[in-house]
Amino acid sequence: MVRVLATLALALAFALLFMPIAEIIGKQFGHAVRPRLFKRSKRKVSYLGGSALVPAALAASTILWGIPKPVLPVLGGALLVFSLGLWDDRLHREGGLLPWHRFALEASTAAGVWVLGLRPSITGLYWVDFALTVLFLIASCNAVNLIDNMDGVAGTTVAVIASGTAALALISGQLVIAGVAAGVTGATLGFLQFNFHRARLYLGDSGSLFLGFTLGGLLLSLRLPLGFGGGFVVAIALMGIPFTDTAVRQIARWLTGKSLFDVTGGIDHVSHNLVAMGLSTKQVALTHGFFAAVGVAAGIYAAASLRIEAAFAAIAMFSLIGVAFLAVSVSKQRGKAKRRRAFVLALGLIGLLALGSAPAAISARRHLESAKRSLQLAATVARAGSLSEADSLIGKAERDAAIAAESLGGPTTFVARSLPLIGTNLKAARSLAYGTNLIARSSRDALKALSEVSSGGYVAGRIDLEKLSKAAPSLERAAAGAELAVAAVPRDSKMLLPQVSGARDEFERRATDAAHGLGKASRTLEVLPAMLGADGPRTWFLAVQNGAELRATGGFIGGFGILRTNGGAVELVSLEPDRFLPVPPSEVDAPDEVIARYDRFGARSGWQNVNMVADFPTAARMMAGMWELSTGEAVDGVIAVDAVAIGHLLGAVGPVDVPALGKQVTSDNVVDVTLREAYGLIEDREERQDVLVDVGRETFTRLTSGTYADPRLVINGLSAAASSKHLLLWSRHEEKQLGELDLDGSISGSPSSDYLMVVSQNASANKLDYYARRGIEYSVDLQAGAAMKADLTVRVDNNTPSDLPAYVLGPDGAAVNRAYLSVYVPESTDGRLAKIDGKNTTLESHREVGLGVLSQFVETNQGAQSKVDLSLVGRDFKPGEYRLLARKQPTPFADDFKLEVTLPPGAAVSEMTPGMRQNGNTVTWSGKLSRDREFFVRYEIQNEILGAAWNKIASLADSR
């Protein structure tokens, strides 16, 4: 603050020093004009005030702030228009520059400043922001130039606006801008000493163009915390007085048939109308300063309180002032412009009514953001167990969304809703408000269902099945409400601003996920009672999979046990290490394709490789068959869990002690402890094997006895484990329902979709898969009317450290990650030729559950990366739509996944999976494949000629 004030004082001192020199030079060399205030004065006044003001402002700013890099393009452009003004002043006696020449030079300068870095985020649309920036800078230049028509008017107005700009810069922490604005303020105050009535200096075109361009550029450079367009609205509010004067003058001239580009001056400005109303010259200047201060105050309040309505209110006030003075100006002129006048007045009235919708829209936005925050916080506190607080937050969200919908549908937005572009965005925002309100109501129903299940519904390991029945209707209503919310927000809205379309896309993504999750929960609640023994006892085989040595469904079976359910009671009968697994007397039955593919690995006769079969229902039936052959006991279903799933459950039951390691296992470290530390620190084989089983046994004992188990956390843990495929379920009796819920680990795909699943299986008899990381890139090229072509790249990193025991590194101690890598694709896809680390190879080709499988052994040395490149050619796809089902393998760490879809030339995307991004003719998604994902892109061929040409090129390429 002290430095800013020092800049102002120094600029004032420089101005007071330079102004007398400018006055003398102007009069000496003929740079003087006669004031045109009703020709009252015959004095000649120098118009070189700007030539003294500019060096004063720049010198003070540079001395105290150095080279102002953040606004260097703005100051460079301001100096260019200053030179333009000097030239225009020099040619004044010959009539000056032609208006169009001057306008073109100003526009070129403004465009150059944009190119050099002045990029305000007004709408988020590149070319729209460019056009608005150029227009604002041109308007600022000429508006300040036009109010330099009477003693003190321009100087007073500019000094107030510049000081307001400095204050806004201080509020937003942009100190260099504050320093430059303070320099302009000080220099202008110094100029006012020679410009206030009676004036000895005028700014001239040079000074007024410089000040206008500088103020406009500084205002656009401000980064205020008001979202898209907020800073631009504040900038208009601060420039309200100059803009109002310019608008009144130009519209009045147009209405009365005068030239809009008459540079000889006139008496049709606001200042002249004020004099005609009886104000003195000094009072006119002070009046301009006062209303400029109102605009500044509104802008500062808007930025400080984050209430942009204040800036809109100021703009509305200036608009009303402008309409009033326009009426006065036109009424004094004679002419035959009634139609024009009626048209403009009607247009102005519509504009004012549309402007009146801005506060309602801003208020609605604030309420919608509040509703979003409340819903997010409600989900967090509900997961933490505070259901009453969550209910209160949901109620607040519901009220906020209702207020937003009411604001956007009220009478103040009636006119705006009927206008193109504005109306489209208001209607889209209103649909978001309705959708948010529906989501809040669904959340309330879901919370009610959760309350029913958790409140007394889980005691000492027994689940109250009656509570589940009572919760079902609420959950069903919640799912239906979420689906209605998705339908309430249309996807076909055109011409949406980025912030509106972005909010719509985010809402659709969240609402779709909510609808899917609630629908799944509702259907789960329908089948759960029977699985819990509502119709009689059930016996379940429990497989604990160890991801340190990967198998298709998660890892080799390191532990096994029996769970029993009866009337809602869950009992862990046993859980033992895999060394106690009974050996089946013969091979179990399996589909022919499984026999052909996996018999060489002994999958039907040994527990270690039974889950090499990626389709869990198939693998589970084989496990159940092995158990029955070995023990004579039939099981009703199979449950498979791994360390990640146990981690989710530990969040509900609390930490578990591991005596062998002398530490506790928690939800955060269970994967690291059981898959890394146990192998690195425990030498005894049996003791090492027991770690994961002991942790699982204690976790399931607490879970099934109800000890320490918070019902809500249990639900959250089971849900997270199941959705990420680390908890897999198969039931003889509910196989179809579990498949529909995608809880059974089935790998089947839709015949109408593309399909991809990458599966690694340990082929080294080591425990190195904890240290493996995979990256998958899938690039699809859609030929218009031709077969789909795709390139798949799978990268495997072997990050194994050197200081591991031999039993971890493998039989040869070489720490080589040797994996049996399989790629599952649609059955009709061809792609046997591949490259592994740049070398050509042929992949095995098999069939499994209606899918094609391409496989090969891949070796990755310690500290190295292996890369498998595969070109795929698929069947013809439905024109206009591409879908991909990408399934994940339950590995200790999720794969990095990138999808890239190249559309046919002439294609325009009409809809795509939320979260995907479009860049030209390519649509991409990247992230962690933490669950199965389905992607879609819908498009239209807008240029049929281009599409047909591409078809021809593609067919020629295929024939060659």
Side-chain angles (χ1 to χ4, degrees):
M1 177 65 77
V2 172
R3 199 172 170 190
V4 169
L5 292 175
T7 307
L8 188 151
L10 186 60
L12 174 60
F14 279 141
L16 293 175
L17 178 65
F18 297 157
M19 291 297 166
I21 301 172
E23 182 183 5
I24 293 170
I25 292 175
K27 290 182 178 179
Q28 184 70 30
F29 293 95
H31 293 276
V33 295
R34 293 180 184 274
R36 302 188 62 83
L37 180 56
F38 301 117
K39 301 182 180 180
R40 287 181 178 177
S41 173
K42 295 183 179 181
R43 291 181 305 105
K44 288 187 176 182
V45 181
S46 170
Y47 50 76
L48 289 184
S51 300
L53 184 150
V54 172
L58 295 181
S61 301
T62 305
I63 289 171
L64 288 172
W65 297 92
I67 302 298
K69 292 182 180 179
V71 290
L72 206 55
V74 171
L75 294 179
L79 288 173
L80 280 176
V81 296
F82 171 75
S83 303
L84 171 66
L86 278 178
W87 187 18
D88 200 16
D89 287 337
R90 184 70 184 88
L91 298 176
H92 180 75
R93 292 181 179 179
E94 290 78 28
L97 288 171
L98 291 175
W100 285 109
H101 291 170
R102 181 164 141 174
F103 178 83
L105 291 170
E106 290 170 353
S108 300
T109 303
V113 171
W114 168 276
V115 170
L116 291 174
L118 179 63
R119 303 283 177 86
S121 296
I122 302 172
T123 66
L125 300 173
Y126 183 89
W127 289 111
V128 175
D129 286 356
F130 168 76
L132 290 175
T133 299
V134 171
L135 289 173
F136 187 85
L137 290 173
I138 294 172
S140 298
C141 274
N142 291 286
V144 174
N145 179 244
L146 288 173
I147 62 170
D148 188 28
N149 56 62
M150 190 176 293
D151 297 357
V153 171
T156 303
T157 306
V158 167
V160 173
I161 296 172
S163 63
T165 305
L168 283 170
L170 284 173
I171 290 173
S172 58
Q174 296 170 272
L175 299 182
V176 174
I177 295 178
V180 174
V184 172
T185 304
T188 306
L189 291 173
F191 163 74
L192 267 176
Q193 304 301 310
F194 295 80
N195 179 250
F196 218 69
H197 192 69
R198 294 178 168 242
R200 294 156 55 189
L201 282 171
Y202 278 166
L203 286 171
D205 285 349
S206 58
S208 59
L209 292 178
F210 173 86
L211 286 175
F213 198 97
T214 301
L215 286 178
L218 292 179
L219 287 169
L220 291 180
S221 299
L222 292 173
R223 297 292 180 263
L224 303 177
L226 295 170
F228 273 112
F232 190 68
V233 173
V234 168
I236 294 174
L238 264 70
M239 293 295 292
I241 279 294
F243 284 176
T244 299
D245 177 79
T246 301
V248 169
R249 176 186 186 271
Q250 296 300 92
I251 295 174
R253 291 193 168 201
W254 178 66
L255 287 173
T256 54
K258 295 183 179 179
S259 172
L260 300 181
F261 302 103
D262 182 7
V263 297
T264 61
I267 56 172
D268 48 4
H269 291 273
V270 171
S271 56
H272 300 127
N273 284 312
L274 290 173
V275 169
M277 294 166 61
L279 272 67
S280 67
T281 303
K282 288 183 179 180
Q283 290 172 331
V284 170
L286 293 174
T287 300
H288 277 71
F290 170 79
F291 281 102
V294 172
V296 165
I300 292 174
Y301 179 76
S305 65
L306 305 183
R307 297 180 67 89
I308 195 65
E309 298 96 318
F312 272 107
I315 295 172
M317 177 194 70
F318 289 129
S319 300
L320 290 172
I321 291 172
V323 171
F325 277 102
L326 180 63
V328 172
S329 293
V330 172
S331 66
K332 294 193 301 182
Q333 306 294 325
R334 292 182 180 180
K336 299 179 180 179
K338 291 183 178 180
R339 290 184 180 178
R340 279 188 183 179
R341 197 177 309 167
F343 172 75
V344 169
L345 290 176
L347 194 63
L349 181 61
I350 292 173
L352 284 174
L353 291 172
L355 185 64
S357 69
I362 294 165
S363 173
R365 176 185 174 183
R366 190 168 62 249
H367 281 290
L368 280 175
E369 288 176 346
S370 174
K372 174 185 170 183
R373 288 193 299 270
S374 296
L375 287 173
Q376 290 173 337
L377 186 56
T380 301
V381 299
R383 282 192 291 267
S386 182
L387 300 187
S388 60
E389 184 180 355
D391 185 66
S392 176
L393 287 166
I394 290 171
K396 183 178 184 304
E398 194 173 352
R399 291 190 297 273
D400 278 329
I403 292 171
E406 186 177 351
S407 298
L408 293 169
T412 57
T413 63
F414 176 77
V415 174
R417 292 200 305 273
S418 305
L419 298 175
L421 184 61
I422 297 174
T424 303
N425 282 275
L426 285 175
K427 290 173 184 176
R430 190 182 183 192
S431 70
L432 282 173
Y434 280 130
T436 303
N437 185 265
L438 287 170
I439 285 292
R441 295 180 186 180
S442 293
S443 301
R444 188 182 296 281
D445 285 327
L447 195 67
K448 183 178 179 182
L450 180 60
S451 179
E452 286 283 356
V453 172
S454 59
S455 177
Y458 184 73
V459 179
R462 179 182 291 274
I463 298 173
D464 189 335
L465 300 181
E466 187 178 345
K467 293 277 188 181
L468 294 185
S469 299
K470 288 183 178 179
S474 296
L475 204 53
E476 189 176 347
R477 285 196 305 271
E483 291 177 0
L484 284 174
V486 175
V489 181
R491 286 288 307 170
D492 57 353
S493 299
K494 306 294 184 183
M495 301 177 67
L496 294 183
L497 295 174
Q499 52 269 45
V500 178
S501 63
R504 180 192 63 184
D505 291 343
E506 182 185 5
F507 175 84
E508 183 186 32
R509 182 168 62 254
R510 291 179 181 275
T512 301
D513 287 345
H516 177 75
L518 289 169
K520 194 171 180 179
S522 178
R523 294 192 300 274
T524 301
L525 215 56
E526 292 176 4
V527 301
L528 193 56
M531 295 173 65
L532 290 170
D535 303 325
R538 294 282 185 94
T539 301
W540 302 84
F541 179 81
L542 177 63
V544 180
Q545 303 184 109
N546 189 324
E549 185 178 331
L550 276 180
R551 297 292 185 270
T553 64
F556 78 93
I557 299 176
F560 72 100
I562 293 294
L563 273 172
R564 286 206 173 92
T565 57
N566 187 15
V570 183
E571 178 190 4
L572 178 65
V573 177
S574 64
L575 184 58
E576 302 295 336
D578 64 322
R579 61 182 180 272
F580 297 114
L581 275 165
V583 179
S586 61
E587 293 179 334
V588 297
D589 292 334
D592 292 341
E593 59 190 16
V594 170
I595 295 173
R597 179 160 158 75
Y598 296 106
D599 259 17
R600 55 179 164 156
F601 301 114
R604 293 195 298 139
S605 58
W607 291 98
Q608 292 302 307
N609 289 337
V610 65
N611 57 343
M612 284 188 71
V613 181
D615 186 61
F616 185 73
T618 303
R621 281 191 290 269
M622 292 167 64
M623 291 182 205
M626 284 185 182
W627 182 257
E628 187 170 356
L629 284 174
S630 304
T631 66
E633 180 185 22
V635 294
D636 296 287
V638 176
I639 302 172
V641 296
D642 60 10
V644 176
I646 291 173
H648 287 301
L649 298 177
L650 283 172
V653 302
V656 173
D657 291 323
V658 180
L661 293 175
K663 67 188 307 179
Q664 282 192 327
V665 176
T666 67
S667 59
D668 295 325
N669 69 6
V670 61
V671 174
D672 187 63
V673 169
T674 57
L675 304 188
R676 183 185 69 84
E677 287 191 31
Y679 287 98
L681 299 177
I682 302 176
E683 295 184 5
D684 183 80
R685 183 173 182 269
E686 291 187 1
E687 190 177 2
R688 187 171 62 246
Q689 287 178 335
D690 289 347
V691 171
L692 181 59
V693 175
D694 289 344
V695 173
R697 183 187 299 114
E698 180 62 21
T699 301
F700 275 94
T701 298
R702 292 186 185 182
L703 192 66
T704 56
S705 66
T707 308
Y708 309 116
D710 184 325
R712 290 174 289 265
L713 297 181
V714 171
I715 293 170
N716 293 336
L718 290 172
S719 175
S723 63
S724 59
K725 297 180 70 173
H726 293 284
L727 167 62
L728 302 173
L729 296 170
W730 172 77
S731 168
R732 294 183 189 276
H733 314 287
E734 290 84 23
E735 183 171 355
K736 181 180 178 182
Q737 294 93 319
L738 290 176
E740 292 172 349
L741 291 168
D742 205 21
L743 294 173
D744 64 343
S746 170
I747 65 168
S748 60
S750 168
S752 63
S753 298
D754 193 8
Y755 182 98
L756 181 67
M757 183 179 183
V758 177
V759 171
S760 294
Q761 316 224 42
N762 189 293
S764 304
N766 59 27
K767 301 296 182 288
L768 299 183
D769 288 318
Y770 173 88
Y771 303 100
R773 300 291 184 274
R774 295 191 318 201
I776 303 170
E777 294 184 11
Y778 191 53
S779 301
V780 179
D781 187 10
L782 299 180
Q783 310 288 327
M788 182 277 296
K789 297 179 180 179
D791 292 313
L792 172 68
T793 298
V794 181
R795 293 181 177 86
V796 182
D797 290 299
N798 183 353
N799 301 317
T800 304
S802 301
D803 56 346
L804 294 176
Y807 57 78
V808 179
L809 298 175
D812 55 5
V816 175
N817 186 309
R818 188 169 189 265
Y820 184 57
L821 186 73
S822 299
V823 177
Y824 290 77
V825 292
E827 193 170 12
S828 60
T829 301
D830 181 29
R832 295 188 63 185
L833 297 178
K835 288 185 177 181
I836 298 180
D837 295 331
K839 297 179 181 179
N840 293 329
T841 188
T842 301
L843 303 182
E844 301 174 7
S845 181
H846 298 276
R847 294 290 180 266
E848 193 171 332
V849 292
L851 295 168
V853 193
L854 303 167
S855 306
Q856 189 54 273
F857 290 92
V858 178
E859 292 187 353
T860 309
N861 292 325
Q862 183 180 21
Q865 181 188 81
S866 292
K867 187 171 76 167
V868 179
D869 294 303
L870 180 61
S871 295
L872 302 168
V873 178
R875 64 187 183 282
D876 289 344
F877 276 79
K878 177 183 176 182
E881 182 178 49
Y882 171 74
R883 304 187 76 89
L884 169 68
L885 176 58
R887 291 201 184 274
K888 69 159 285 186
Q889 179 187 9
T891 54
F893 302 97
D895 296 329
D896 292 318
F897 183 75
K898 180 179 180 181
L899 170 65
E900 181 177 280
V901 181
T902 301
L903 303 176
V909 174
S910 58
E911 191 175 4
M912 59 186 174
T913 300
M916 298 186 80
R917 296 181 179 276
Q918 182 178 5
N919 183 13
N921 216 39
T922 303
V923 178
T924 61
W925 185 93
S926 60
K928 293 289 185 182
L929 196 62
S930 56
R931 57 181 175 85
D932 290 347
R933 286 186 176 273
E934 188 164 10
F935 302 93
F936 70 88
V937 181
R938 297 191 182 98
Y939 59 92
E940 299 174 356
I941 303 295
Q942 293 187 336
N943 191 326
E944 296 292 346
I945 297 176
L946 188 59
W950 179 256
N951 280 337
K952 185 66 175 177
I953 294 171
S955 62
L956 288 173
D958 288 340
S959 64
R960 291 183 181 180

